[in-house]
Amino acid sequence: MSGGVIAIDGPSASGKSSTARAVAEALGFAHLDSGSLYRGVTLVGLRELARHGMRGDDPARDLPPETLRRAAEDRGLMLQPDGAGFAAYLEGEPVDDELRSPTVTSRVSAISAIPVVREWINSRLRAMVRAGQNVVVDGRDIGTVVFPDADLKIFLTASAEARAGRRISQRGHTIEAEDLDAEAAALAARDHADSTRAVAPLRPAEDAVHLDTTTMGFAEQVRFIVERAQPIFSRP
């Protein structure tokens, strides 16, 4: 038995996770955040470097891919049910807050480009759906690689400036022009890295519904997706 899948892809800071979580809650689905696992592997790599006293601070550069994969398994990186979604656990402890640190954020793009890591994470995401759970999954290649047969695919985006402003606001900071420009430049660089990488580059699936939220409110974008999902999942 397999569950239904809504795939929400898009660039960094496009609001994929918060939108997916709200859509899942509205539909009674579970929310799967693939980014939490990539961030989890990044955190595993940083801990491995510290444990071995290595001078490097870039797990993608300083650790062999198989070492990263094995360490993620040995340290028990997993997603555990948490309300309407899942929370990341590492070594038996919840680590969602640590996964959002600037150190992890600045290194996760390189980790996500490693084929061994992607295969390991994708297998875990697919296993959850095979268990019969209806899910909303967000990431960068969910509709193109992980679940190419998803029931509904959304490509969520917004201008770099809009995404930068939202990210600064999420941190609780006042949006200053200088900070906005710097954040937008950082997001543009991340977009370029994600869309040009050799493995599973960021791109919309051919059958994805494009949703530009630059001028949309959060409730409006959630409603847009829910209204398109309801007819699909109400079919006998």
Side-chain angles (χ1 to χ4, degrees):
M1 179 180 180
S2 296
V5 177
I6 297 174
I8 300 181
D9 289 307
S12 183
S14 58
K16 299 184 299 295
S17 292
S18 56
T19 302
R21 190 178 303 111
V23 170
E25 183 176 354
L27 295 171
F29 286 18
H31 169 224
L32 268 180
D33 178 6
S34 67
S36 290
L37 287 175
Y38 287 107
R39 288 173 175 272
V41 175
T42 305
L43 180 58
V44 165
L46 290 167
R47 289 186 179 183
E48 282 293 298
L49 291 174
R51 184 167 72 91
H52 292 290
M54 299 177 68
R55 292 179 180 274
D57 62 355
D58 186 347
R61 179 193 64 204
D62 301 324
L63 291 173
E66 190 58 32
T67 297
L68 279 170
R69 183 200 63 79
R70 187 169 59 251
E73 287 191 350
D74 292 345
R75 290 176 178 263
L77 176 62
M78 65 179 68
L79 295 178
Q80 295 273 40
D82 178 30
F86 296 83
Y89 277 70
L90 185 59
E91 298 179 287
E93 299 291 336
V95 290
D96 278 348
D97 289 343
E98 196 170 352
L99 298 187
R100 304 295 167 181
S101 71
T103 302
V104 170
T105 297
S106 66
R107 290 159 177 77
V108 67
S109 184
I111 290 291
S112 66
I114 299 173
V116 168
V117 171
R118 301 196 70 83
E119 292 170 7
W120 185 79
I121 289 176
N122 289 346
S123 68
R124 276 146 183 78
L125 295 174
R126 291 168 183 146
M128 292 180 181
V129 173
R130 284 198 298 271
Q133 176 71 64
N134 290 330
V135 295
V136 182
V137 194
D138 64 276
R140 287 172 175 75
D141 66 341
I142 305 303
T144 55
V145 176
V146 187
F147 294 110
D149 296 324
D151 301 276
L152 175 63
K153 302 173 187 177
I154 301 292
F155 193 80
L156 189 71
T157 190
S159 69
E161 291 74 17
R163 289 183 283 138
R166 293 169 188 172
R167 175 156 283 181
I168 292 170
S169 295
Q170 287 171 355
R171 295 172 184 152
H173 298 163
T174 301
I175 300 176
E176 304 288 350
E178 184 177 350
D179 295 335
L180 185 67
D181 290 343
E183 190 70 35
L187 288 173
R190 175 72 187 274
D191 292 347
H192 178 74
D194 288 341
S195 61
T196 59
R197 67 191 182 199
V199 180
L202 169 68
R203 61 179 177 82
E206 291 183 0
D207 54 346
V209 177
H210 290 246
L211 178 57
D212 187 331
T213 67
T214 299
T215 61
M216 294 178 73
F218 183 74
E220 184 182 0
Q221 67 194 47
V222 171
R223 184 167 60 251
F224 178 96
I225 299 172
V226 169
E227 288 177 350
R228 279 151 185 78
Q230 286 173 329
I232 295 172
F233 292 97
S234 62
R235 295 169 186 166

